[in-house]
Amino acid sequence: MAKNNSNFLFQRKFAFDYWDKKTTSLSFDFAKDYKKFLSSCKTERKTVNWIEGEARKIGYQVLQNIGPNTKKPKSLAGKKFYNINRGKSIIFAHFGKKKISDGLHLISAHIDSPRLDLKMQPFYEQEHLGYLKTHYYGGIKKYQWTALPLAIYGVVVKTGGSVINIELGEKEDEPVLMISDLLPHLSKEQMEKKLEEAVKAEELNLIIGNIAQPGKKEEENRVKKNLLSLLNKKYDITEEDFISADLEIVPVGQARDLGFDSSLITGYGQDDKICAFAASRALFDLKNPEFTSLVILVDREEIGSEGATGATSNFIIDFIGELLYLEQGEYNENYLRDVLSLSKAISADVTAGFDPDYADVFDPNNTARLGAGVVLVKYTGQKGKAYTSEATAEYMAYIRKILNTAKINWQTGSLGKIDIGGGGTIAMFLARHNVDIVDCGPPILSMHAPFEISSKADLYSSYQFYKAFFGAKK
Ligand code: MN
Ligand code: MN
């Protein structure tokens, strides 16, 4: 028999209430590193470069294409490999003491975030102003992107194959780009529109200049010509080169502490770079794991995971096949399937935190609170559990045991009230390979806004949990 209430009630525990001074201070130090990462990794390409650099420092090597001539190493335990897919997704593996055929422990997060992309032919001018046309990527509230300093990141690839890196707007002495908003004085009609229609996708046009190229005053497009000539001087590119470009528009600004007590963090792209950071650090800090442990960082989650660099790509399974080849010296598809069926996975993604200003949309018992730790989400999706995988009771028990044994501050969560909306993660795409998987990550406020809000306690408890999951003996 339980002696008191606390023995049989499941209660949400706010981490800073329970942690000793040392753990709290470790969580603040961890957040410092995270903020640096978040500030300098606003796109998937930047994230891949940064994390690859960290991995190489501790001995991760590129997994070469493996074939019949590959020499099988004597022992694989402790060996560390990675592969990059098209500069936009990356997988890391740390070989454990057990064989791959005993199953893998995988954590996957996504490194793309909602933003504005440039259209293929973005340049135009109107009323002597130069503009770039954008196409939004992922679920944004369009009105949040006006009157906000914006930076441009990405690559332009010339037909000869040379890659020109573009990164402009973040440094203090660099110009920024901006989408205008209508002055309140003339906004009577706009203010009466539905929020969804107040700013339209085709109105998300970036102002990029106001000076015309010298020439005949009646000549058309002199501002556009002047801008293209400036870009040509700086980057050696022409208008046609923008057709082969990945250029992303993101908010300017560093990740910052939030609140007088500095307990929170605000920054762009925390969905899902907070999990990408926590999972990578968990893997990089791992010593002698029992099971071979993988971190999979994918692109394209925000638009449904389609595309060669997304979670539906064969890239992930082929990488695991190559690890198996390295161990077994042969490739056997049935064997690969057996490995996957024995594997355990975490879909490390953020979930909605309870926002008291919008309490109506949340089920208070089934929504995570900021500061109460990493969130276990049995299923995501929408309506009658559509478009989601769901973790089994058995797998939930397995995860719960890891959380409790490692004394992690954790809570449960779901996206919001049923039938009010919904959303998915990459969990269902990995589940297709017959892998046990569950969503587990920190809660976020203002998700998908130019600046999102997370808690240092939740960031650190996510890291602690991912580490415990990789370190599990079963
Ligand atoms: Mn996400
Ligand atoms: Mn998202």
Side-chain angles (χ1 to χ4, degrees), residues 110 112-114 139 271-272 301-302 349-350 424 447-448 452:
H110 67 94
D112 61 322
S113 299
D271 173 10
D272 184 31
E301 192 275 343
E302 295 294 356
D349 206 343
V350 300
M447 197 193 290
H448 286 199
E452 302 170 310

Side-chain angles (χ1 to χ4, degrees), residues 39-296:
S39 300
S40 56
C41 297
K42 292 198 175 172
T43 66
E44 54 285 345
R45 285 179 193 266
K46 295 277 291 181
T47 307
V48 164
N49 285 344
W50 195 93
I51 294 186
E52 180 193 17
E54 295 298 298
R56 292 188 72 93
K57 278 186 215 159
I58 52 165
Y60 276 84
Q61 295 177 321
V62 174
L63 183 65
Q64 303 294 346
N65 280 336
I66 291 170
N69 297 326
T70 306
K71 242 180 95 188
K72 202 177 140 188
K74 255 197 191 138
S75 164
L76 281 166
K79 292 262 187 330
K80 300 169 184 169
F81 295 104
Y82 74 94
N83 260 353
I84 292 176
N85 187 9
R86 295 170 167 83
K88 294 166 65 127
S89 57
I90 187 164
I91 307 188
F92 304 95
H94 184 158
F95 272 91
K97 286 180 241 164
K98 286 183 187 283
K99 292 208 160 232
I100 293 182
S101 35
D102 292 312
L104 308 162
H105 281 204
L106 324 164
I107 301 185
S108 185
H110 67 94
I111 52 176
D112 61 322
S113 299
R115 59 171 192 259
L116 308 176
D117 287 340
L118 291 195
K119 289 193 181 189
M120 276 193 294
Q121 299 215 22
F123 289 91
Y124 72 100
E125 80 169 81
Q126 232 170 8
E127 305 303 331
H128 213 78
L129 285 168
Y131 283 100
L132 286 174
K133 284 210 80 72
T134 68
H135 194 141
Y136 68 97
Y137 172 97
I140 63 162
K141 288 174 153 184
K142 297 176 195 95
Y143 67 85
Q144 291 177 337
W145 290 75
T146 62
L148 183 74
L150 298 166
I152 182 167
Y153 284 93
V155 295
V156 176
V157 183
K158 311 245 289 184
T159 50
S162 60
V163 178
I164 292 127
N165 266 298
I166 294 187
E167 212 177 300
L168 190 77
E170 213 69 70
K171 297 193 186 100
E172 262 179 49
D173 56 349
E174 287 175 351
V176 300
L177 310 177
M178 195 177 270
I179 296 163
S180 65
D181 198 354
L182 189 58
L183 59 166
H185 318 65
L186 299 178
S187 292
K188 192 174 172 293
E189 278 178 23
Q190 187 198 37
M191 301 292 263
E192 284 163 3
K193 284 184 189 166
K194 280 192 202 159
L195 212 47
E196 199 180 343
E197 291 154 12
V199 175
K200 297 195 185 78
E202 293 291 347
E203 291 165 356
L204 293 175
N205 301 317
L206 293 157
I207 296 178
I208 57 166
N210 191 214
I211 297 177
Q213 194 178 57
K216 286 184 190 140
K217 303 289 176 271
E218 64 281 6
E219 204 181 308
E220 282 189 1
N221 287 324
R222 285 194 300 125
V223 174
K224 173 177 163 178
K225 282 177 195 160
N226 185 51
L227 288 162
L228 281 165
S229 116
L230 285 174
L231 290 172
N232 185 266
K233 253 183 232 150
K234 185 162 179 176
Y235 300 109
D236 188 28
I237 49 180
T238 64
E239 189 175 18
E240 190 185 307
D241 291 326
F242 280 80
I243 293 169
S244 49
D246 288 340
L247 291 167
E248 305 178 9
I249 308 298
V250 298
V252 169
Q254 308 285 297
R256 305 280 299 267
D257 281 356
L258 173 67
F260 292 129
D261 59 5
S262 294
S263 56
L264 305 165
I265 300 164
T266 180
Y268 165 74
Q270 301 205 63
D271 173 10
D272 184 31
K273 283 168 212 106
I274 191 167
C275 293
F277 183 80
S280 305
R281 278 285 292 263
L283 184 68
F284 297 166
D285 291 349
L286 201 60
K287 304 267 182 299
N288 308 315
E290 203 71 15
F291 290 91
T292 297
S293 300
L294 273 75
V295 162
I296 304 168

